[in-house]
Amino acid sequence: MRFSSSFRIVMPVFVLLTVVCAGCLVASAQGQSQADAGTKGKACPSDDSGLKLPAGFCASVFADDIGHARHVVVSPDGVVYVNTWSGEYYDNDKPHAGGFLVALKDSTGAGKADVNERFGESVASGGAGGTGIGMYKGAVFAEINDRVVRYTLPAGSIVPTDPGATIVSGLPLGGDHPMHPFAITADGSLYVDVATATNSCQPKNRTPGSVGANPCVELETRGGIWRYDANKTDQKFSPAERYATGIRNAEGFGIDTTGQHIFITQHGRDQLYTNWPAFYKPDQEATLPAEEVMLLKQGGDYGWPECYYDPVRRKLVLAPEYGGNGGVRVGVCADKLAPVAVFPAHWAPNAMVFYDKEQFPARYRHGVFIAFHGSWNRAPYAQGGYNVVYQPLAGDHASGRCEIFADGFAGAVKTPDGAVHRPSGLAVGPDGSLFVADDIRGRIYRISYMGGSGSDSVAANFTACPDPTAPAGKVVVAAAKPPEGTNVDAGGAAAGPAVPVGATRAMVALGDKIYHGQVAGAACTGCHGTSASGGPLGPDLTHNKWAWSDGSYAGIAKTITDGVIQPKNFRSPMPPMGGSQLTHEQVLALAAYIWSLNHH
């Protein structure tokens, strides 16, 4: 569907009448008079959120300091489940103790979680956390490493007692976007985002003047939505299950009440001016391309890496890596699927949820809330995002004005390193409250409407989204770099890990599990570290330096089998097979994994 002018999000600036939950519902006498009819006699239960909201709404801190909270889901009985993440994106800081999955419950009705239980994979079991989480048929589904796992909840418990069943495994990791958000529809269709390894499919990622790969082989295993069956276990990732393509990074999903319309967000590509200064002005680094909400269609092609959405021209245009010249040429983009709504560049839509409950005023029903994580690529101009936005919808298209619904998460400084909190997850509770997750300090907000049943006085008082065509403004800070770093070889892992001759990709995946203690009880991480980069007890296994073999597949397998009884550089010996009872096939799988760590 094309984004028609009637749905273009260009709006006048309205007076912002906000409330910050501070024992009252309004921020000014003017706001009080307009909200009196619905809010008289009511007050926020706490004053600890610091958020700015439309009149009649209240936000409180439901939980805090639970780890880097990503996506969130709420069970029918009000238990809030959160997936947390760790790793390079967070400067490899120390993960929260216990499992990466968190169950939060308010058992007293006070509006705050007084029960906090953790489960699932932990650092000790080789986990690194994840982003995606959902519920289906009373079970919790969560992304962990390269898998989506189902955790069955026993009667009377909010956490599982079993290790979980793998629904799908072998999802690609590495590169710029290793996370796997997902959504599950009522019929059990599991839609998984497998985002791109690179910014724009350049052979040298994020490198000035590097022409895009043609064909973009990365699209075989990345850059799209894959569909699986949430009712089946042990499914394997493969190109055959690809549902839609040309999607750079769709972290947010919104499913309407009919189940017929699935909306996804799109993180627009970065660094147009940085990599192609001959075609763009410096300020266009901050204003191109638009962020998007798209209608998911089977077999749909949304244009990445050849196309991006230009909000000024109001269409998909050809990327400079593929012959584009600053937005004039359209080329193959004329045949790609355009978005249904667009937003300012680089705001980073990390989550989306469809709202269909009765608690919020009618204005907020049958549309989507979007959590914008906040930009880095608008620098040296002022950053944007760091907020929650509401976009009304009607069927398969946008139906009205977009508004800034919740703001104030970042605090005084809206930058990736200066923000106090950054929205990253959204979920609607059974009572209609909106939960927002923050992935910096692990805060969970609960937003509810206190303005009275059916009150729509808020409809005339909202803050319009900035026009996506608005200028960048004044230079305020130095240029920024991608938060994931600039790995010029990121695309090398796009089709999966390197595989030695005589092995298979499935063997490498099994070796990964063996190395991280998930199979056969191996203790490799204890000596060589979770990332295999070495430690006090064992050498680095990632830099192709070998003391006991020639580094060949067979040589590594022999070293694992024989062990290292008299190490050359470490005190402690390695017993045969690391002290585990590995089968011959498991030894070969572990050797294939270690070999792959040294070949890209």
Side-chain angles (χ1 to χ4, degrees):
M1 165 169 291
R2 298 215 171 273
F3 183 62
S4 67
S5 59
S6 60
F7 300 127
R8 184 167 172 242
I9 306 174
V10 179
M11 294 159 284
V13 177
F14 284 78
V15 178
L16 172 62
L17 298 175
T18 62
V19 293
V20 179
C21 269
C24 63
L25 288 176
V26 293
S28 66
Q30 181 183 16
Q32 179 69 59
S33 65
Q34 292 176 334
D36 269 347
T39 63
K40 187 175 180 180
K42 297 179 181 293
C44 293
S46 65
D47 60 359
D48 55 355
S49 78
L51 298 185
K52 300 175 183 178
L53 298 161
F57 285 89
C58 174
S60 59
V61 176
F62 184 76
D64 221 345
D65 192 30
I66 65 169
H68 299 297
R70 296 290 286 182
H71 282 187
V72 58
V73 69
V74 187
S75 71
D77 57 354
V79 180
V80 177
Y81 291 95
V82 189
N83 201 350
T84 66
W85 200 19
S86 69
E88 294 181 7
Y89 190 89
Y90 301 103
D91 296 324
N92 291 308
D93 59 353
K94 184 178 180 180
H96 203 292
F100 283 102
L101 299 171
V102 188
L104 304 167
K105 183 178 181 180
D106 172 15
S107 64
T108 66
K112 293 184 178 294
D114 59 308
V115 178
N116 182 329
E117 298 187 38
R118 307 184 78 93
F119 64 99
E121 297 280 2
S122 65
V123 173
S125 67
T131 290
I133 193 166
M135 293 203 74
Y136 178 65
K137 291 185 176 179
V140 176
F141 288 66
E143 168 207 3
I144 181 74
N145 296 350
D146 69 336
R147 294 165 289 138
V148 174
V149 177
R150 181 187 65 211
Y151 294 95
T152 301
L153 300 174
S157 176
I158 65 173
V159 296
T161 56
D162 59 58
T166 296
I167 300 301
V168 59
S169 63
L171 297 169
L173 296 169
D176 287 358
H177 308 116
M179 66 292 287
H180 307 103
F182 62 83
I184 307 174
T185 57
D187 66 355
S189 293
L190 171 64
Y191 296 91
V192 183
D193 170 43
V194 183
T196 66
T198 63
N199 177 40
S200 54
C201 207
Q202 295 168 295
K204 292 296 181 183
N205 187 39
R206 300 181 184 273
T207 299
S210 179
V211 176
N214 193 7
C216 179
V217 178
E218 188 175 334
L219 284 173
E220 295 177 6
T221 56
R222 305 289 288 259
I225 302 296
W226 266 249
R227 185 174 65 177
Y228 294 92
D229 187 344
N231 298 289
K232 297 180 180 179
T233 59
D234 296 321
Q235 298 167 92
K236 306 297 182 183
F237 174 82
S238 77
E241 286 77 34
R242 183 172 57 187
Y243 185 80
T245 191
I247 303 166
R248 182 175 178 271
N249 185 12
E251 291 205 42
F253 289 82
I255 304 172
D256 72 3
T257 52
T258 70
Q260 298 177 355
H261 301 124
I262 301 174
F263 297 92
I264 56 175
T265 61
Q266 165 88 305
H267 279 237
R269 54 84 50 80
D270 303 323
Q271 298 173 296
L272 282 168
Y273 168 74
T274 299
N275 288 345
W276 302 93
F279 298 133
Y280 300 93
K281 298 176 181 179
D283 63 339
Q284 289 181 301
E285 185 85 334
T287 60
L288 292 175
E291 306 286 40
E292 306 171 41
V293 166
M294 307 182 297
L295 179 65
L296 184 61
K297 295 183 177 182
Q298 185 169 11
D301 186 343
Y302 297 84
W304 185 92
E306 297 164 303
C307 312
Y308 66 87
Y309 191 87
D310 186 323
V312 175
R313 292 179 168 83
R314 294 164 54 188
K315 61 184 176 182
L316 291 167
V317 298
L318 203 59
E321 290 84 0
Y322 292 89
N325 58 347
V328 176
R329 293 177 186 151
V330 173
V332 297
C333 305
D335 299 323
K336 308 300 183 182
L337 293 175
V340 299
V342 297
F343 306 86
H346 310 303
W347 274 25
N350 266 26
M352 182 165 63
V353 67
F354 193 90
Y355 193 86
D356 61 351
K357 301 296 184 180
E358 298 297 320
Q359 183 192 123
F360 287 11
R363 167 178 172 75
Y364 297 102
R365 298 171 200 161
H366 309 297
V368 287
F369 287 97
I370 306 167
F372 285 100
H373 196 229
S375 63
W376 66 269
N377 195 215
R378 295 180 72 91
Y381 304 92
Q383 301 292 354
Y386 303 89
N387 54 27
V388 174
V389 160
Y390 177 73
Q391 173 59 56
L393 299 168
D396 61 359
H397 59 269
S399 63
R401 297 183 175 118
C402 158
E403 70 170 90
I404 305 298
F405 177 75
D407 207 351
F409 297 93
V413 182
K414 286 189 174 183
T415 64
D417 56 349
V420 181
H421 303 284
R422 300 178 74 180
S424 62
L426 292 171
V428 178
D431 68 345
S433 296
L434 181 69
F435 290 85
V436 186
D438 147 59
D439 71 346
I440 294 183
R441 289 174 171 80
R443 174 171 289 186
I444 306 298
Y445 300 85
R446 180 176 178 268
I447 300 175
S448 55
Y449 185 64
M450 308 290 287
S453 177
S455 173
D456 280 310
S457 62
V458 70
N461 304 289
F462 64 92
T463 302
C465 292
D467 189 331
T469 67
K474 297 180 180 180
V475 172
V476 295
V477 295
K481 294 182 179 180
E484 66 271 16
T486 302
N487 177 6
V488 297
D489 296 320
V499 179
V501 175
T504 65
R505 185 168 296 159
M507 291 173 66
V508 174
L510 173 60
D512 186 345
K513 294 180 180 180
I514 295 169
Y515 180 89
H516 288 100
Q518 299 167 6
V519 174
C524 309
T525 57
C527 294
H528 300 284
T530 300
S531 63
S533 58
L537 300 178
D540 185 344
L541 300 178
T542 66
H543 281 77
N544 229 351
K545 296 180 180 179
W546 309 100
W548 295 96
S549 79
D550 58 1
S552 67
Y553 178 34
I556 296 171
K558 186 177 188 304
T559 301
I560 295 171
T561 302
D562 296 345
V564 178
I565 306 305
Q566 294 181 323
K568 296 177 181 178
N569 301 312
F570 294 85
R571 284 185 309 175
S572 301
M574 183 185 84
M577 295 186 285
S580 301
Q581 298 299 314
L582 303 180
T583 66
H584 177 65
E585 289 74 18
Q586 289 171 337
V587 167
L588 293 178
L590 180 57
Y593 172 69
I594 294 172
W595 184 94
S596 74
L597 295 177
N598 295 271
H599 298 80
H600 303 285

Short mmCIF file of all heavy atoms in Angstrom, two decimals, residues 14-40:
data_model
loop_
_atom_site.label_atom_id
_atom_site.label_comp_id
_atom_site.label_asym_id
_atom_site.label_seq_id
_atom_site.Cartn_x
_atom_site.Cartn_y
_atom_site.Cartn_z
N PHE A 14 0.32 21.77 18.46
CA PHE A 14 -0.74 22.04 19.40
C PHE A 14 -0.16 22.31 20.79
O PHE A 14 0.97 21.92 21.08
CB PHE A 14 -1.70 20.83 19.50
CG PHE A 14 -2.62 20.73 18.33
CD1 PHE A 14 -2.17 20.22 17.12
CD2 PHE A 14 -3.95 21.14 18.43
CE1 PHE A 14 -3.01 20.13 16.03
CE2 PHE A 14 -4.79 21.04 17.33
CZ PHE A 14 -4.33 20.53 16.13
N VAL A 15 -0.94 22.94 21.61
CA VAL A 15 -0.49 23.20 22.98
C VAL A 15 -0.39 21.89 23.74
O VAL A 15 -1.32 21.09 23.73
CB VAL A 15 -1.49 24.13 23.70
CG1 VAL A 15 -1.05 24.36 25.14
CG2 VAL A 15 -1.60 25.45 22.96
N LEU A 16 0.73 21.68 24.37
CA LEU A 16 0.93 20.46 25.15
C LEU A 16 0.39 20.66 26.55
O LEU A 16 0.83 21.54 27.28
CB LEU A 16 2.42 20.13 25.23
CG LEU A 16 2.78 18.98 26.19
CD1 LEU A 16 2.10 17.70 25.71
CD2 LEU A 16 4.27 18.81 26.27
N LEU A 17 -0.61 19.88 26.88
CA LEU A 17 -1.14 19.90 28.24
C LEU A 17 -0.80 18.56 28.86
O LEU A 17 -1.45 17.57 28.63
CB LEU A 17 -2.67 20.10 28.22
CG LEU A 17 -3.11 21.43 27.59
CD1 LEU A 17 -4.63 21.49 27.51
CD2 LEU A 17 -2.57 22.59 28.38
N THR A 18 0.28 18.52 29.60
CA THR A 18 0.80 17.27 30.12
C THR A 18 0.55 17.13 31.60
O THR A 18 0.26 18.09 32.29
CB THR A 18 2.30 17.17 29.87
OG1 THR A 18 2.92 18.23 30.58
CG2 THR A 18 2.62 17.30 28.39
N VAL A 19 0.73 15.93 32.03
CA VAL A 19 0.74 15.68 33.46
C VAL A 19 1.96 14.87 33.79
O VAL A 19 2.37 14.02 33.05
CB VAL A 19 -0.52 14.90 33.91
CG1 VAL A 19 -1.76 15.73 33.75
CG2 VAL A 19 -0.64 13.59 33.18
N VAL A 20 2.55 15.15 34.89
CA VAL A 20 3.60 14.32 35.46
C VAL A 20 3.06 13.83 36.78
O VAL A 20 2.64 14.62 37.62
CB VAL A 20 4.90 15.13 35.66
CG1 VAL A 20 5.96 14.25 36.27
CG2 VAL A 20 5.36 15.71 34.35
N CYS A 21 3.03 12.56 37.01
CA CYS A 21 2.40 12.02 38.20
C CYS A 21 3.10 12.53 39.44
O CYS A 21 4.11 12.00 39.85
CB CYS A 21 2.48 10.49 38.16
SG CYS A 21 1.04 9.80 37.38
N ALA A 22 2.58 13.55 40.02
CA ALA A 22 3.20 14.16 41.19
C ALA A 22 2.11 14.51 42.19
O ALA A 22 2.04 15.62 42.71
CB ALA A 22 3.98 15.41 40.79
N GLY A 23 1.23 13.55 42.42
CA GLY A 23 0.16 13.76 43.37
C GLY A 23 -1.03 14.48 42.78
O GLY A 23 -2.02 14.72 43.46
N CYS A 24 -0.94 14.87 41.50
CA CYS A 24 -2.06 15.51 40.82
C CYS A 24 -2.01 15.13 39.37
O CYS A 24 -1.04 14.54 38.92
CB CYS A 24 -2.01 17.02 40.99
SG CYS A 24 -0.57 17.75 40.24
N LEU A 25 -3.02 15.49 38.61
CA LEU A 25 -3.10 15.03 37.24
C LEU A 25 -2.76 16.08 36.22
O LEU A 25 -2.72 15.77 35.04
CB LEU A 25 -4.52 14.51 36.96
CG LEU A 25 -4.87 13.19 37.63
CD1 LEU A 25 -6.31 12.85 37.35
CD2 LEU A 25 -3.95 12.10 37.18
N VAL A 26 -2.56 17.31 36.61
CA VAL A 26 -2.36 18.33 35.61
C VAL A 26 -1.14 19.17 35.90
O VAL A 26 -0.69 19.27 37.03
CB VAL A 26 -3.58 19.25 35.50
CG1 VAL A 26 -4.77 18.51 34.95
CG2 VAL A 26 -3.92 19.87 36.85
N ALA A 27 -0.56 19.79 34.85
CA ALA A 27 0.66 20.54 34.99
C ALA A 27 0.40 22.03 35.07
O ALA A 27 1.33 22.80 35.26
CB ALA A 27 1.60 20.24 33.82
N SER A 28 -0.81 22.48 34.89
CA SER A 28 -1.11 23.91 34.92
C SER A 28 -2.57 24.11 35.21
O SER A 28 -3.40 23.20 35.11
CB SER A 28 -0.78 24.54 33.57
OG SER A 28 -1.66 24.05 32.58
N ALA A 29 -2.91 25.34 35.59
CA ALA A 29 -4.31 25.65 35.86
C ALA A 29 -5.15 25.47 34.62
O ALA A 29 -6.30 25.02 34.67
CB ALA A 29 -4.43 27.08 36.38
N GLN A 30 -4.58 25.82 33.46
CA GLN A 30 -5.30 25.65 32.20
C GLN A 30 -5.60 24.19 31.96
O GLN A 30 -6.72 23.81 31.61
CB GLN A 30 -4.48 26.21 31.05
CG GLN A 30 -5.18 26.08 29.71
CD GLN A 30 -4.32 26.59 28.58
OE1 GLN A 30 -3.12 26.76 28.74
NE2 GLN A 30 -4.93 26.83 27.45
N GLY A 31 -4.60 23.33 32.16
CA GLY A 31 -4.82 21.89 32.00
C GLY A 31 -5.85 21.38 32.97
O GLY A 31 -6.65 20.52 32.65
N GLN A 32 -5.81 21.92 34.24
CA GLN A 32 -6.77 21.47 35.23
C GLN A 32 -8.20 21.75 34.79
O GLN A 32 -9.08 20.89 34.87
CB GLN A 32 -6.50 22.17 36.57
CG GLN A 32 -7.47 21.78 37.68
CD GLN A 32 -7.26 20.36 38.11
OE1 GLN A 32 -6.19 19.98 38.56
NE2 GLN A 32 -8.30 19.54 37.97
N SER A 33 -8.43 22.95 34.27
CA SER A 33 -9.79 23.31 33.90
C SER A 33 -10.31 22.44 32.78
O SER A 33 -11.50 22.13 32.71
CB SER A 33 -9.84 24.78 33.47
OG SER A 33 -9.07 24.98 32.29
N GLN A 34 -9.43 22.01 31.87
CA GLN A 34 -9.87 21.20 30.75
C GLN A 34 -10.04 19.74 31.12
O GLN A 34 -10.69 18.99 30.41
CB GLN A 34 -8.88 21.34 29.60
CG GLN A 34 -8.87 22.74 29.00
CD GLN A 34 -7.82 22.88 27.94
OE1 GLN A 34 -6.82 22.18 27.94
NE2 GLN A 34 -8.02 23.80 27.01
N ALA A 35 -9.41 19.31 32.21
CA ALA A 35 -9.50 17.90 32.59
C ALA A 35 -10.42 17.68 33.79
O ALA A 35 -10.68 16.56 34.17
CB ALA A 35 -8.11 17.35 32.90
N ASP A 36 -10.93 18.78 34.40
CA ASP A 36 -11.70 18.67 35.62
C ASP A 36 -12.85 17.69 35.52
O ASP A 36 -13.11 16.93 36.44
CB ASP A 36 -12.25 20.04 36.02
CG ASP A 36 -11.30 20.78 36.95
OD1 ASP A 36 -10.38 20.13 37.44
OD2 ASP A 36 -11.49 22.00 37.15
N ALA A 37 -13.53 17.74 34.38
CA ALA A 37 -14.75 16.94 34.26
C ALA A 37 -14.50 15.48 34.49
O ALA A 37 -15.32 14.78 35.07
CB ALA A 37 -15.38 17.16 32.88
N GLY A 38 -13.33 15.00 34.03
CA GLY A 38 -13.08 13.57 34.15
C GLY A 38 -12.13 13.20 35.25
O GLY A 38 -12.02 12.03 35.59
N THR A 39 -11.42 14.17 35.85
CA THR A 39 -10.36 13.81 36.78
C THR A 39 -10.61 14.28 38.20
O THR A 39 -9.83 13.99 39.09
CB THR A 39 -9.02 14.39 36.32
OG1 THR A 39 -9.13 15.83 36.31
CG2 THR A 39 -8.66 13.92 34.93
N LYS A 40 -11.65 15.01 38.42
CA LYS A 40 -11.90 15.55 39.75
C LYS A 40 -12.00 14.44 40.78
O LYS A 40 -12.72 13.46 40.59
CB LYS A 40 -13.20 16.37 39.74
CG LYS A 40 -13.45 17.10 41.06
CD LYS A 40 -14.68 17.98 40.93
CE LYS A 40 -14.94 18.74 42.24
NZ LYS A 40 -16.13 19.61 42.15
#
